[in-house]
């Protein structure tokens, strides 16, 4: 579906491993004074003065996490960085460095990896990240990308999953379910294309959803916003697997229960209309869809006035004592047990 922008196909063997590393990393520039040594030695050297260092890593595997028949490599590179930065921001820390490791098969020409790195470097530039190393190796089949993100924070700024208290409010940023629906739209178009490659899909009305899937943005802005509002979350996590499983992680780590209100879950109008079109339940999509990369956090009740007028935040519930359990309060005011669902329940739900 997505045409190769770059018609040239230079085989990887022409460069060899070291030539390829050199080629992909030659334009890396370093911006942070904390980077003492970046690419080019056996290890990078960083210095964060008195701060604590925060580290997170995530791996993306072709056929499991992405499908190159509709994911452009540039977007994939961008997303691989976002997925990792999101974890650092979820600690209320500042992300500053990444390493990027790739395993590639011969079916990728040099130009494909250039595109992948274009996405990686674009993300690094926008989010003010130094690329300080990585590893390059071969794969017999698919493409694998592993990114490690490094950040820093004062010890008392770091927010763990474990700090939520009874009566705290549960807050989410942005809106949910878009990324999952974007994937459904892309999957459907792929099937249409298989049957009739000459059909030009009209995807305009799904632009928001497809962007949420292909070009997610990690919420770097939230930490600064919360600082400005003088709110420190009591616990926080990013939404990679779907709202329900992240809420349950917070509850378990913090030894609390929760009431999550169905009617409060923030949904974009496109999410609602596309759910109708696909005969999906929008609550289920938000609860189980995943990949939204929004932040989910708890705050003390007394901080509510500071966030209530802000369009970035929606209060979706409150924490209970652990004995009260973890519940979804439905629009019909029924209290049902909140379960962590994967992706499959969505398919079986309609
Ligand atoms: P080593 O043999 O010590 O693993 P390499 O030859 O793999 O060293 O890497 C040389 C340098 O290039 C190192 O600084 C490494 O971090 C960096 N590097 C290797 N592969 C990548 C990559 N895919 N992206 C960014 N930097 C890389
Ligand atoms: Mg190496």
């Amino acid at each position: 579906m997505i045409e190769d922008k770059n018609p040239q196909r230079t085989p990887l063997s022409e460069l060899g491993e070291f030539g390829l590393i050199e080629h992909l990393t030659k334009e890396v520039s370093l911006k942070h004074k904390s980077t003492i040594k970046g690419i080019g030695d056996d290890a990078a050297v960083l210095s964060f003065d008195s701060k604590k260092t925060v580290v997170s890593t995530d791996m993306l595997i072709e056929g499991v996490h992405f499908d190159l028949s509709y994911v452009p490599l540039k977007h994939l590179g961008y997303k691989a960085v976002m997925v990792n930065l999101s974890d650092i921001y979820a600690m209320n820390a500042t992300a500053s460095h990444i390493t990027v490791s790739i395993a590639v098969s011969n079916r990728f020409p040099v130009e494909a990896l250039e595109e992948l790195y274009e996405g990686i470097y674009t993300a690094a530039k926008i989010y003010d990240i130094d690329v300080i190393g990585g590893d390059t190796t071969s794969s017999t089949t698919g493409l694998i990308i592993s990114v490690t993100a490094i950040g820093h924070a004062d010890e008392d700024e770091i927010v763990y999953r474990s700090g939520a208290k009874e009566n705290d409010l549960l807050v989410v940023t942005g809106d949910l379910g878009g990324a999952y629906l974007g994937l459904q739209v892309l999957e459907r178009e792929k099937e249409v294309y298989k049957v009739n490659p000459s059909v030009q899909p009209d995807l305009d009305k799904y632009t928001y959803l497809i962007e949420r899937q292909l070009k997610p943005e990690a919420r770097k802005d939230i930490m600064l916003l919360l600082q400005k509002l003088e709110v420190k979350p009591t616990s926080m996590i990013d939404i990679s697997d779907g709202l329900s499983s992240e809420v349950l992680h917070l509850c378990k780590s913090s030894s609390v229960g929760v009431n999550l209100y169905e009617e409060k879950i923030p949904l974009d109008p496109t999410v609602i209309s596309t759910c109708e079109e696909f005969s999906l339940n929008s609550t289920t999509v938000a609860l189980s869809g995943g990949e939204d990369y929004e932040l989910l956090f708890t705050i003390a009740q007394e901080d509510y006035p500071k966030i209530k007028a802000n369009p970035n935040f929606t209060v979706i519930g409150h924490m209970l004592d652990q004995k009260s359990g973890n519940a979804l309060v439905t629009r019909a005011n029924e209290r049902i047990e909140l379960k962590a669902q994967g992706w499959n329940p969505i398919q079986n739900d309609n």
Side-chain angles (χ1 to χ4, degrees), residues 17-18 21 25 38-42 100 102 117 131-136:
E17 183 193 328
F18 298 125
I21 296 172
T25 61
I39 291 168
D41 212 310
D42 297 312
V100 179
I102 52 173
Y117 269 76
V131 180
I132 52 158
D135 198 25
T136 306

Side-chain angles (χ1 to χ4, degrees), residues 188-226:
R188 184 177 70 181
E189 294 315 317
K190 182 184 167 186
E191 293 310 310
V192 172
Y193 180 83
K194 269 192 206 155
V195 178
N196 187 350
S198 67
V199 173
Q200 279 295 322
D202 178 12
L203 298 177
D204 278 359
K205 67 173 173 167
Y206 307 114
T207 304
Y208 177 68
L209 305 179
I210 293 172
E211 265 189 17
R212 293 288 281 171
Q213 170 59 223
L214 292 183
K215 197 170 173 289
E217 303 288 350
R219 299 303 307 253
K220 178 184 181 177
D221 54 327
I222 296 300
M223 191 179 93
L224 301 171
L225 184 55
L226 288 172

Side-chain angles (χ1 to χ4, degrees), residues 90-137:
M91 300 301 290
N92 204 34
T94 304
S96 49
H97 302 82
I98 54 169
T99 63
V100 179
S101 298
I102 52 173
V104 275
S105 75
N106 295 329
R107 79 182 160 89
F108 292 95
V110 172
E111 288 75 12
L113 299 181
E114 281 172 2
E115 262 182 58
L116 179 76
Y117 269 76
E118 212 182 304
I120 292 169
Y121 293 141
T122 301
K125 187 164 172 219
I126 295 174
Y127 283 75
D128 193 24
I129 303 292
D130 283 356
V131 180
I132 52 158
D135 198 25
T136 306
T137 184

Side-chain angles (χ1 to χ4, degrees), residues 167-187:
N167 297 323
D168 280 356
L169 299 175
L170 182 65
V171 185
V172 70
T173 65
D175 54 74
L176 300 175
Y180 175 82
L181 287 178
L183 183 66
Q184 299 315 300
V185 170
L186 290 168
E187 295 267 7

